[in-house]
Amino acid sequence: PNSRRMAAVTTDRVVQLFDENGERKDKFSTKPAQPDGVKNFVVRGMAFSPDSAKLAIAQSDNIVFVYKLGLEWGDKKSICNKFLQSKPVTALTWPQRRHNEVVFATTEGKVKVGQLKTNKAATLYAHPDGAYCVALASSPCGEKICSGHIDGTVWTFDFADGVNRKLFAHSCAPYALSWGARNAVVAAGADRRVCFYDALGDEYAARPQTFDYSDDDNAREFASASFSPAGESVAVGSFDRFQLFAYSQQRGGWVEAGTKHVANLYTVSALGWKPDGSRLATGALCGTVDIYDACVKRQMYADKFEFTYVSGSAVVVKRLVDGSKVSVSAGNGQDLQGLNVYKERFLVAHTTDSLIVGDLEAEKIAEVPWGWTGSEKFDFDTERVCVVHSRGEVSVVEYGVNRMLGTCRTTHTKQHLLSVRVQESRRGRTRVGKKIAYLIDAQTVRVTDLSAENELTGARDVATVSHESKIDWLELNARGTHVLFRDKKRQLHLYDIKNQARYTLLNYCSYVQWVPGSDVVVAQNMGNLCVWYSVDSPDRVTTVPIKGEVEDIERGKGKTEVIVEEGGVQKAYPLDEHLIEFNSLVEEGDYDAAVEVLEALPGGTPETEAMWLELRNAAITDRRLLVAQRCSAALGDVAKAQYLGAIIADAKRASAMEGGGDGLNNYAVKARLAMLDKQWKIAEGLLLENGQTDAAIQMYRDMHRLDRAVEVATSKAHPNAENLRREHLDWLKQTGQEEAAGAVKEREGDHLGAIRFYLRGGLPGRAAAVVIANHARSTDFDRSLVEEIAAALKRGDMYERAGELYDALDRPEEAKEAFVRGHSYRRALELCRRGGSSAEEVRSLEEKWGDHLVDMKQQDAAINHFIEAGCGIKAIEAAVECKNWKKALEIIEREPKRGRDDDKFKGFYKRIGRHYEQARDYEQAERCFLRAGEPGEAVEMYCRADKWENAHKIAVGYMTDSDANELYVKRGKELEASARYKEAEKMYLTVKEHDLAIEMYKRNRQFDQMIRLVGLYRKDLLGETHIHLARQLEADGNYREAERRYLEGKDWKGAVQMYKQAEMWEDAVRVAKQNGGANASKRVAYEWGLHLGGDAGASLLRKFNLLEEAIDYACESGEFDNAFELARAGAGNKVRDVHLKHAMYLEDEGRFDEAEAEFIKADAPKEAIEMHVHNKDWDAATRVAEQHAPEQVTDVLVSRATSLKEEKEYSRAEATFVKAKKPEAAIKMYSDEGLWDDALRVAADYLPGKVREIHLEMQSRAGDSSKTSARDSEAQHECVTRARRLEREGNYSGAVDAYLELTSRVTKDQRALENAWDAAVRVAVGNVPGKAKTVVQEVAARLRGIGRDDRAEELLGSAGVDARSGLGPTRKPARTGSAQPKRDIVGFKDAKDRGENSDGGDGGDAS
């Protein structure tokens, strides 16, 4: 049981003893039953005693031995008990609660108990059929045992009531039998079935939980079983294996926890658990003993403790510094939670229904019922107890005691406003004190006794101290007899709990504290240190001047010092250790030592006088008269010293007469001691019992108790009794004690004299009592005397007594009036009934009685009076006020409906309905609400109770749809305000207000619930809702949740964009890769690189092999600064390309000068030249060609000439061709246009060798036009020649007309016609603006006439003559050249523009 030893025995009958680590430390051989017997017996069982000091061994040779082993390994071993039987012993167990009783069984079916104190065995019970007992087991509580028999039956015996009964019948002999927690008994045997029975014998016993292995070919019979110490798991042994079963709280039953197979182990014949449950030992048939580690898990705590969980409800806490261990387990079997160690000493854990606290140094653990809230705070500053603060309640738990020591409710839970003291007894004389002092409000101290004597009645309040100011500090002394407290005014007070007395110690106190372990008070008052060495003498104070502030009190090594901070230096002021030690000596009853301490001190000081007084009182209480006399002498109390000396002398005489003893039991000595203690009745009884009447009378005379002296004299018929009586009466008159004098007169029969004394003393009630008691026998009471007494009674508001007086004198009306005025309505009603008063008067009195009881807050008693008075409303109101709801409902039901105030009755019904709702009597509450016309209340009630069907039924049956909807919505909002969202949701959904439920979850940021409802009722908005929530979460900075919402809304690009904006690029790349593929992640990586810029950006893009493509994309996106930065940082070879693309971009933007500069930087002057040529900026083109590409000058001139040719500026084109040294191009131009004369002229001027060639070409073309008549050719030539002549002469209008004379009637050559008409338009537009429009329209019409509609439209459009038929301004034709086509690199452009404008998913080319 103490986890230090394990015993094992085999067939050699030698007991081997092992330590907790499994190392063999000792052994001894067992003895046969007879000293000279043969060792042929078998050990049937072994069990340690609960204190681990003894070992019981059951043997088959009809005996049980009990060996005393001691607690240490070196202790001597001996046989301390033996129980010889007539039959072989078969099994043995030692219950944990029966330290001196060991239980064993025999082959004849008897179960016996061996009593160690008497060394005798007694039969507890016997099997009815004498069936062989095969196994015994003890309950975890140690108060019950059970036995298994060969016939399969299992019987149990309860030591508490001495009753045995049959528990259950197993299917075979239960060789494996054990008793665990939850009243579970496991039984198994040869049928290979493991059954769990309930020891309480309910239906579970009839239907055990069974694990059947009969179909398992590898399973054999079960031979042993043992529950773990916690009782939550059990090991069952069989052949080559043992199996573990554990209780599952989730399943509410036992489950298989595992099987351990050990080859060649053979049958497991014995099982045993280490008391802390951390190890399991097995013994096998072949003699092997194995130890298995049975822990569930190990956990390090703060590198100072190791937690070894042996089950969910048990843990072993090991301190790593010294290796000490403490086992902690939950008594209710529930899992341990929240295991923590505070201050490296105090342990705290909890289960669902209990709280566990412990002191690891004292090795004491306590478990108390508790509902864990998570708001608990723990205070470990008080020795032996833990103070728990939770929700305005303070609970005190004593270590090692499994019950709540006490509980109090207070809001003042600070450490300096709460004090607990638990005092242990010393030398067997000091009563254990357990008290708590706390504030019930800011100005009231309450002291509660928590001691064990109050277990049945609960904690008892022993003191309540009301104070006029707020209290800011309080503390009990070590014994719990006095409480110190200080208020906000800095006044220090001491309260004596026993005498219920309060003393003001200081009017100003800045520091106060009890000296540790004593009743000495140390306080500071300004510049004085004040010390009270005796709290029983609060006026005796020792004052020491100091110059600083008190910091602390240190006590140890035989001295006590007060530490004072003086000018930054700590100074120690010593206290008188003798005086401090004195308190401990008195508490322990060592009076002689206390006297020696006081005698060594200087006399005459207030401290020592207080000590002598305290010692004297304690000595008298314990009848130490010599010590008390010495104390009185030291105090100078000669009278008491002499009186004690007389008592001592009487005691000596009595001792001499009795022949021995201390004489303190002599009646005279006892009487004197009783007088000393002011216990007069005890002294009187002692004296009278021993015939000392005169002594008793004299005692009372000395104490001025003449009344008692007269009583004693009268009772004993003393001859001086009459004189004593007169003397007593005279003394009463002289001292003004009229009441006592009246009582004397009354006893003497002088009624008038007694009345006069009573009236004179202001006691009319006593005077009336005399009249009432004696009026029938005396005629001395005249009417005037009675009226005088009645008037005095009325003046004193003693109307009931006056009524009794009138009633006794048969004056009923006056008596009735007095009774009513005195609110004695019962007496008044009795008079009415006796006198035959009317029913109306009786009802009036009943109503008044009820009203009075209501005023006195006794509504329950008033109900029946109102009913008797016929006041139904008042009766109902009284019943409701006193919460007698059933009575109120009965009265309402009996009230007639006609003529009553329905609104008031509805209010009653409503209040009663709310009561029944609180009582959970919902049907009755529903009936009340409906009768009150409040179906909404009934609906709300059922909603609060989660009875939705009932609520819906009421709403449908008694309310309109709008009212029901309004009620449900209102209730839903109330539930929402109380954070009961699920219930609020039910409210909204019941009336199909789905949007309100969704909005509720949105407001309270429960987005999962919101999405659930949207998915159920607004599926079309589900994706949009996800996106909306994602953006809200993004704005709140909750990016992970926002990402989840984006993805659920199928907008992963939004998540990427979010991370980009938050500069969380790694997450952006991750999301893009997971949802958009590799290309999408590269796109994000590119943007990341651009964001970083410089070397960092280039390095990142190079990592993804995207640097060059990124540069190209930056160019194509117009981000040339980024392109230049990336190119210069990581790709110098791309700088020229960037300049080139920048130039092309600037060209497209129309910024030609900038473009020219970039072309030059890109070493591409030809591109610049082409740009200027394209824009017909011939001067710029020529300039660039001359400066940067002289070889291109000719090409520029040719291009300019070609442009002039296209513009029909043949003369200027001719001049430019010649300047470019290309006369052949001018000749070709004229030939192509059919201007042979000009062609011949140019050839004759520059290339004479070409003249013949031109003539041949003219003839060739003439041959091709053989169909044209010679006349047409001549006319055509004539018109053109005349028109050109007129044009040269400046007659442009005539030239236009001449060109237009050439029509389709003149010639059929369409080319000649188009050339002539174009020339007409050219000349008109350039030189005759007034005719330009008309000429264009005319030419366009002629072109349409010859089928050249497209040419006509082009002409009209280029001239802008007719917008309706024109094509508008033409677009600038694309320039061709060496510029590379734009291209997109893996879709970067889309990603750059914004995720929502691209598909981004395929990563393909978007060009």
Side-chain angles (χ1 to χ4, degrees):
N2 64 2
S3 298
R4 297 183 60 187
R5 290 177 176 173
M6 181 182 71
V9 65
T10 60
T11 54
D12 62 358
R13 295 170 289 277
V14 176
V15 179
Q16 310 283 343
L17 296 175
F18 302 87
D19 64 9
E20 61 179 339
N21 297 320
E23 181 180 351
R24 188 172 68 180
K25 289 288 189 178
D26 201 354
K27 66 178 180 178
F28 66 90
S29 179
T30 57
K31 307 294 183 182
Q34 302 299 328
D36 54 352
V38 180
K39 281 192 174 184
N40 57 0
F41 59 86
V42 177
V43 176
R44 292 295 187 186
M46 290 194 305
F48 274 105
S49 63
D51 61 1
S52 302
K54 301 179 182 69
L55 180 66
I57 299 178
Q59 301 177 182
S60 62
D61 56 350
N62 307 354
I63 197 168
V64 174
F65 283 110
V66 179
Y67 291 84
K68 184 177 180 181
L69 305 180
L71 295 176
E72 302 298 331
W73 286 110
D75 291 346
K76 182 180 179 181
K77 292 178 283 294
S78 63
I79 296 175
C80 59
N81 295 92
K82 57 183 178 180
F83 304 100
L84 187 62
Q85 303 298 307
S86 60
K87 297 293 183 180
V89 181
T90 59
L92 178 137
T93 186
W94 201 323
Q96 288 298 311
R97 293 282 184 88
R98 319 302 293 186
H99 287 258
N100 295 306
E101 294 175 342
V102 60
V103 180
F104 54 90
T106 64
T107 56
E108 57 187 346
K110 291 183 178 180
V111 178
K112 299 185 177 184
V113 58
Q115 300 171 345
L116 273 62
K117 290 185 176 180
T118 62
N119 203 34
K120 293 182 179 180
T123 301
L124 296 178
Y125 63 92
H127 191 280
D129 300 325
Y132 183 100
C133 181
V134 297
L136 281 175
S138 302
S139 66
C141 68
E143 290 293 342
K144 298 177 182 180
I145 58 100
C146 65
S147 60
H149 297 264
I150 196 69
D151 62 351
T153 60
V154 175
W155 292 72
T156 183
F157 179 82
D158 190 341
F159 286 98
D161 55 17
V163 176
N164 70 289
R165 62 184 178 88
K166 181 180 176 181
L167 194 57
F168 56 84
H170 191 56
S171 54
C172 66
Y175 285 95
L177 183 69
S178 188
W179 196 331
R182 305 180 186 276
N183 297 306
V185 176
V186 63
D191 61 351
R192 295 182 288 177
R193 297 171 64 212
V194 179
C195 299
F196 290 87
Y197 297 88
D198 189 350
L200 295 180
D202 57 8
E203 61 175 356
Y204 185 42
R207 296 198 308 259
Q209 186 177 354
T210 303
F211 296 89
D212 193 348
Y213 300 97
S214 57
D215 295 333
D216 187 353
D217 295 335
N218 296 322
R220 302 286 184 88
E221 63 276 3
F222 294 101
S224 58
S226 178
F227 269 99
S228 65
E232 296 291 320
S233 57
V234 61
V236 184
S238 62
F239 185 80
D240 276 357
R241 68 178 180 179
F242 60 90
Q243 294 174 256
L244 293 174
F245 300 87
Y247 186 82
S248 172
Q249 295 184 7
Q250 290 79 9
R251 299 185 181 180
W254 297 88
V255 297
E256 293 179 287
T259 301
K260 179 67 176 179
H261 292 269
V262 182
N264 303 318
L265 179 64
Y266 293 91
T267 301
V268 177
S269 57
L271 291 165
W273 292 84
K274 192 176 180 181
D276 60 14
S278 61
R279 292 184 177 181
L280 172 66
T282 64
L285 183 66
C286 297
T288 60
V289 177
D290 297 316
I291 299 178
Y292 296 89
D293 193 342
C295 72
V296 177
K297 67 175 180 178
R298 282 190 173 88
Q299 177 183 352
M300 296 297 295
Y301 183 88
D303 294 330
K304 295 179 180 179
F305 295 91
E306 180 184 68
F307 296 163
T308 302
Y309 287 85
V310 297
S311 69
S313 61
V315 63
V316 179
V317 180
K318 179 181 178 182
R319 190 191 299 270
L320 299 179
V321 174
D322 55 10
S324 60
K325 297 180 181 179
V326 175
S327 180
V328 182
S329 62
N332 55 15
Q334 296 176 342
D335 290 346
L336 292 174
Q337 303 175 37
L339 185 61
N340 287 293
V341 179
Y342 296 88
K343 299 183 177 181
E344 299 183 10
R345 175 179 175 182
F346 302 101
L347 179 141
V348 175
H350 70 274
T351 67
T352 304
D353 300 322
S354 66
L355 172 67
I356 300 173
V357 296
D359 185 345
L360 298 180
E361 290 186 1
E363 297 186 359
K364 290 183 178 180
I365 306 296
E367 181 178 10
V368 296
W370 192 269
W372 184 260
T373 64
S375 61
E376 289 81 357
K377 296 182 179 179
F378 301 92
D379 180 5
F380 304 101
D381 292 334
T382 305
E383 287 292 327
R384 294 184 285 277
V385 297
C386 172
V387 181
V388 187
H389 304 273
S390 177
R391 295 185 176 180
E393 192 171 75
V394 176
S395 303
V396 183
V397 183
E398 184 176 3
Y399 303 125
V401 179
N402 292 332
R403 68 174 182 85
M404 192 70 71
L405 189 58
T407 301
C408 63
R409 180 164 289 278
T410 177
T411 58
H412 306 274
T413 58
K414 294 182 179 179
Q415 185 177 354
H416 57 273
L417 296 176
L418 184 75
S419 180
V420 181
R421 291 291 180 264
V422 176
Q423 180 192 18
E424 295 181 342
S425 61
R426 297 185 180 181
R427 297 192 179 183
R429 63 176 300 279
T430 303
R431 178 169 172 262
V432 177
K434 301 177 181 179
K435 293 186 177 69
I436 180 173
Y438 60 97
L439 295 179
I440 56 178
D441 58 47
Q443 297 174 228
T444 307
V445 180
R446 174 162 291 170
V447 182
T448 302
D449 188 357
L450 307 174
S451 58
E453 288 80 357
N454 298 316
E455 287 185 12
L456 297 178
T457 60
R460 177 172 58 90
D461 296 334
V462 294
T464 301
V465 187
S466 297
H467 194 57
E468 61 274 7
S469 300
K470 290 184 178 180
I471 297 168
D472 66 356
W473 181 90
L474 66 85
E475 188 171 3
L476 287 163
N477 65 336
R479 292 183 295 149
T481 58
H482 295 74
V483 59
L484 269 174
F485 63 92
R486 186 183 65 181
D487 59 25
K488 290 288 186 180
K489 297 179 181 179
R490 297 290 180 174
Q491 290 183 341
L492 179 63
H493 304 270
L494 175 70
Y495 189 82
D496 186 340
I497 298 173
K498 179 180 179 181
N499 298 319
Q500 302 286 294
R502 178 168 60 177
Y503 308 95
T504 300
L505 300 184
L506 292 175
N507 289 322
Y508 182 84
C509 173
S510 58
Y511 176 89
V512 61
Q513 192 65 51
W514 293 99
V515 173
S518 74
D519 291 341
V520 178
V521 180
V522 175
Q524 182 179 2
N525 177 18
M526 302 294 185
N528 294 319
L529 180 66
C530 304
V531 183
W532 287 263
Y533 287 101
S534 175
V535 291
D536 292 330
S537 300
D539 55 335
R540 306 293 179 85
V541 56
T542 301
T543 303
V544 180
I546 58 176
K547 297 180 181 180
E549 299 295 328
V550 177
E551 293 290 329
D552 197 6
I553 301 174
E554 295 180 355
R555 188 179 187 192
K557 297 181 181 179
K559 63 179 180 179
T560 303
E561 295 177 334
V562 179
I563 308 301
V564 180
E565 183 81 18
E566 295 184 354
V569 179
Q570 289 188 344
K571 184 177 180 180
Y573 287 82
L575 300 182
D576 194 328
E577 188 64 25
H578 293 91
L579 296 180
I580 297 174
E581 183 65 20
F582 168 80
N583 291 321
S584 301
L585 295 173
V586 173
E587 185 180 343
E588 295 175 1
D590 194 351
Y591 298 123
D592 295 332
V595 169
E596 293 177 1
V597 169
L598 294 180
E599 286 178 341
L601 298 175
T605 64
E607 295 83 2
T608 55
E609 288 184 5
M611 299 297 132
W612 283 114
L613 181 60
E614 182 181 351
L615 179 58
R616 184 179 69 180
N617 294 336
I620 292 175
T621 301
D622 282 357
R623 298 295 188 259
R624 298 290 298 276
L625 302 184
L626 286 173
V627 174
Q629 185 183 29
R630 174 69 182 89
C631 293
S632 298
L635 291 168
D637 191 348
V638 178
K640 186 161 285 190
Q642 290 178 348
Y643 188 81
L644 287 169
I647 296 176
I648 293 171
D650 289 344
K652 289 182 178 178
R653 285 194 296 272
S655 176
M657 292 175 60
E658 294 170 0
D662 56 9
L664 294 178
N665 290 325
N666 182 265
Y667 79 92
V669 175
K670 287 184 176 180
R672 278 179 171 271
L673 289 171
M675 294 178 203
L676 184 64
D677 204 21
K678 297 181 174 58
Q679 297 179 355
W680 312 113
K681 291 295 291 183
I682 295 176
E684 174 193 332
L686 290 169
L687 293 172
L688 294 179
E689 287 175 4
N690 291 277
Q692 299 295 318
T693 305
D694 289 336
I697 293 173
Q698 189 59 41
M699 173 187 72
Y700 284 123
R701 286 177 67 89
D702 294 341
M703 295 299 110
H704 300 287
R705 296 288 304 276
L706 291 176
D707 55 337
R708 293 297 305 151
V710 171
E711 289 179 9
V712 172
T714 303
S715 65
K716 295 299 182 179
H718 195 276
N720 200 28
E722 186 63 30
N723 293 333
L724 284 171
R725 190 178 295 110
R726 285 196 297 271
E727 181 183 355
H728 180 218
L729 185 60
D730 293 340
W731 180 74
L732 291 175
K733 292 178 182 178
Q734 294 171 5
T735 56
Q737 300 184 51
E738 286 82 3
E739 182 180 6
V744 171
K745 284 292 187 181
E746 187 176 357
R747 286 195 298 269
E748 293 176 353
D750 186 358
H751 302 133
L752 290 177
I755 291 172
R756 293 304 174 191
F757 274 118
Y758 286 141
L759 292 177
R760 192 182 307 159
L763 301 167
R766 295 290 297 274
V770 173
V771 174
I772 293 170
N774 299 285
H775 77 281
R777 300 189 300 274
S778 175
T779 59
D780 297 336
F781 311 123
D782 57 12
R783 188 177 184 87
S784 61
L785 178 62
V786 172
E787 292 300 333
E788 182 182 357
I789 296 172
L793 289 170
K794 293 175 181 178
R795 285 195 301 271
D797 289 333
M798 300 173 67
Y799 292 103
E800 184 175 2
R801 189 53 121 178
E804 292 174 353
L805 178 61
Y806 286 131
D807 186 22
L809 298 175
D810 197 20
R811 296 163 64 177
E813 293 300 324
E814 293 167 296
K816 191 187 305 178
E817 180 184 356
F819 282 137
V820 171
R821 294 187 64 183
H823 303 298
S824 182
Y825 297 100
R826 185 184 304 279
R827 304 291 295 275
L829 286 170
E830 289 176 358
L831 284 176
C832 288
R833 294 188 178 98
R834 280 206 315 262
S837 298
S838 65
E840 185 63 31
E841 183 179 3
V842 172
R843 284 195 293 271
S844 176
L845 284 175
E846 290 282 4
E847 183 177 1
K848 290 180 180 178
W849 194 356
D851 291 337
H852 171 67
L853 290 172
V854 169
D855 293 339
M856 300 299 291
K857 306 300 181 184
Q858 300 179 27
Q859 290 90 347
D860 197 14
I863 297 173
N864 289 329
H865 297 293
F866 285 133
I867 293 174
E868 292 293 332
C871 300
I873 296 295
K874 288 187 175 182
I876 297 169
E877 290 176 345
V880 169
E881 287 299 323
C882 70
K883 296 180 174 53
N884 192 342
W885 310 101
K886 184 176 180 181
K887 188 73 173 179
L889 194 58
E890 290 177 358
I891 298 171
I892 294 174
E893 299 292 346
R894 288 201 302 264
E895 279 293 300
K897 297 184 178 179
R898 181 178 299 175
R900 71 183 189 183
D901 187 350
D902 287 338
D903 291 338
K904 184 168 288 190
F905 276 80
K906 288 180 179 179
F908 291 144
Y909 273 121
K910 189 173 181 179
R911 289 186 64 181
I912 296 171
R914 288 176 177 168
H915 157 71
Y916 282 117
E917 177 187 358
Q918 293 178 355
R920 298 187 180 181
D921 188 352
Y922 298 116
E923 293 183 3
Q924 189 70 278
E926 175 192 335
R927 189 167 67 90
C928 292
F929 285 136
L930 294 179
R931 293 194 177 186
E934 295 285 350
E937 291 283 346
V939 172
E940 289 192 18
M941 172 190 71
Y942 281 126
C943 293
R944 286 190 290 268
D946 289 336
K947 294 181 176 292
W948 308 102
E949 294 182 0
N950 300 67
H952 192 64
K953 179 180 177 182
I954 297 296
V956 171
Y958 295 90
M959 301 177 69
T960 64
D961 292 342
S962 61
D963 290 342
N965 287 359
E966 181 180 355
L967 178 62
Y968 272 84
V969 171
K970 176 185 175 184
R971 178 59 181 159
K973 292 180 178 178
E974 292 174 355
L975 292 170
E976 179 184 350
S978 302
R980 297 163 62 185
Y981 304 120
K982 277 294 183 184
E983 299 174 26
E985 176 191 333
K986 291 181 180 179
M987 291 285 98
Y988 293 137
L989 297 185
T990 300
V991 294
K992 295 183 171 49
E993 291 289 350
H994 311 126
D995 293 338
L996 289 178
I998 294 170
E999 184 63 26
M1000 172 190 70
Y1001 284 126
K1002 179 183 177 182
R1003 277 195 303 272
N1004 294 282
R1005 304 185 67 82
Q1006 296 194 11
F1007 300 130
D1008 290 336
Q1009 301 296 336
M1010 173 186 173
I1011 290 299
R1012 174 177 59 81
L1013 294 182
V1014 172
L1016 290 173
Y1017 303 106
R1018 294 288 185 268
K1019 292 183 179 179
D1020 54 326
L1021 300 176
L1022 184 58
E1024 182 180 343
T1025 303
H1026 276 299
I1027 302 302
H1028 176 76
L1029 290 180
R1031 290 172 180 166
Q1032 182 175 344
L1033 291 167
E1034 178 182 350
D1036 294 342
N1038 190 352
Y1039 299 115
R1040 288 294 182 186
E1041 186 65 20
E1043 174 192 335
R1044 184 167 72 89
R1045 296 299 175 191
Y1046 274 125
L1047 296 181
E1048 290 180 357
K1050 303 187 185 308
D1051 184 14
W1052 63 268
K1053 298 170 188 172
V1056 171
Q1057 185 64 21
M1058 171 190 71
Y1059 283 129
K1060 289 194 298 184
Q1061 292 176 353
E1063 298 189 5
M1064 299 171 67
W1065 294 97
E1066 292 183 359
D1067 290 304
V1069 172
R1070 171 180 57 79
V1071 173
K1073 184 173 183 180
Q1074 290 175 352
N1075 299 275
N1079 287 336
S1081 66
K1082 288 182 179 180
R1083 212 165 23 251
V1084 178
Y1086 158 71
E1087 296 185 46
W1088 189 2
L1090 291 184
H1091 174 76
L1092 292 175
D1095 294 338
S1099 177
L1100 180 70
L1101 291 170
R1102 191 182 296 110
K1103 174 182 176 182
F1104 288 94
N1105 295 323
L1106 294 174
L1107 182 57
E1108 294 188 2
E1109 289 86 344
I1111 294 171
D1112 291 341
Y1113 176 65
C1115 294
E1116 295 173 9
S1117 301
E1119 298 178 358
F1120 292 98
D1121 291 339
N1122 291 332
F1124 280 121
E1125 184 177 6
L1126 293 175
R1128 294 188 182 107
N1133 58 316
K1134 294 288 289 183
V1135 174
R1136 179 181 176 277
D1137 292 341
V1138 174
H1139 280 297
L1140 180 60
K1141 292 181 179 180
H1142 191 197
M1144 296 170 67
Y1145 169 79
L1146 292 172
E1147 177 186 355
D1148 292 339
E1149 293 293 317
R1151 297 155 62 185
F1152 303 114
D1153 293 340
E1154 298 176 48
E1156 175 189 327
E1158 289 298 317
F1159 277 128
I1160 300 303
K1161 291 179 182 179
D1163 194 21
K1166 182 179 179 180
E1167 296 292 334
I1169 294 170
E1170 290 181 354
M1171 172 187 72
H1172 290 313
V1173 169
H1174 178 73
N1175 293 315
K1176 298 184 179 180
D1177 188 351
W1178 308 109
D1179 295 338
T1182 303
R1183 173 176 50 79
V1184 173
E1186 290 174 349
Q1187 292 178 1
H1188 300 282
E1191 68 278 5
Q1192 294 291 323
V1193 173
T1194 300
D1195 294 339
V1196 172
L1197 293 174
V1198 171
S1199 297
R1200 185 173 185 180
T1202 303
S1203 175
L1204 292 171
K1205 168 188 171 183
E1206 292 173 354
E1207 296 173 359
K1208 307 299 183 180
E1209 295 284 346
Y1210 300 118
S1211 299
R1212 295 174 61 193
E1214 173 191 336
T1216 304
F1217 277 131
V1218 172
K1219 184 179 180 180
K1221 299 179 181 182
K1222 295 287 185 178
E1224 63 275 12
I1227 295 171
K1228 185 174 185 308
M1229 173 186 70
Y1230 285 130
S1231 300
D1232 291 340
E1233 295 299 327
L1235 302 177
W1236 302 106
D1237 293 340
D1238 293 321
L1240 290 171
R1241 176 177 53 78
V1242 173
D1245 291 342
Y1246 299 100
L1247 293 173
K1250 284 275 190 180
V1251 173
R1252 179 176 176 77
E1253 208 176 295
I1254 294 170
H1255 279 292
L1256 292 175
E1257 185 177 354
M1258 289 175 59
Q1259 293 175 2
S1260 174
R1261 291 190 180 182
D1264 293 337
S1265 304
S1266 57
K1267 294 182 180 180
T1268 305
S1269 62
R1271 184 176 55 83
D1272 291 342
S1273 178
E1274 183 180 354
Q1276 172 186 349
H1277 181 70
E1278 180 183 356
C1279 287
V1280 173
T1281 301
R1282 181 161 52 85
R1284 289 180 176 174
R1285 180 176 53 78
L1286 292 173
E1287 182 179 356
R1288 285 194 297 271
E1289 293 175 352
N1291 188 1
Y1292 299 110
S1293 179
V1296 170
D1297 294 338
Y1299 280 129
L1300 292 178
E1301 287 178 0
L1302 189 64
T1303 63
S1304 57
R1305 290 192 297 271
V1306 176
T1307 180
K1308 300 300 183 181
D1309 187 351
Q1310 288 191 6
R1311 184 169 183 178
L1313 290 174
E1314 289 183 27
N1315 290 335
W1317 295 339
D1318 286 344
V1321 172
R1322 173 176 57 77
V1323 173
V1325 172
N1327 301 284
V1328 192
K1331 296 180 64 176
K1333 182 176 180 181
T1334 303
V1335 172
V1336 169
Q1337 290 176 343
E1338 176 65 23
V1339 171
R1342 290 184 182 186
L1343 288 172
R1344 288 194 182 97
I1346 62 176
R1348 295 299 302 276
D1349 294 340
D1350 54 339
R1351 185 80 177 86
E1353 296 296 336
E1354 182 180 355
L1355 176 63
L1356 290 172
S1358 61
V1361 174
D1362 187 359
R1364 292 175 299 172
S1365 61
L1367 299 176
T1370 58
R1371 296 177 61 186
K1372 179 177 68 173
R1375 176 176 61 86
T1376 61
S1378 61
Q1380 298 179 5
K1382 295 182 179 179
R1383 60 193 180 96
D1384 183 17
I1385 53 172
V1386 295
F1388 282 159
K1389 184 174 182 180
D1390 294 337
K1392 179 65 181 176
D1393 290 340
R1394 180 67 167 90
E1396 59 267 26
N1397 296 325
S1398 68
D1399 57 10
D1402 55 7
D1405 192 349
S1407 60

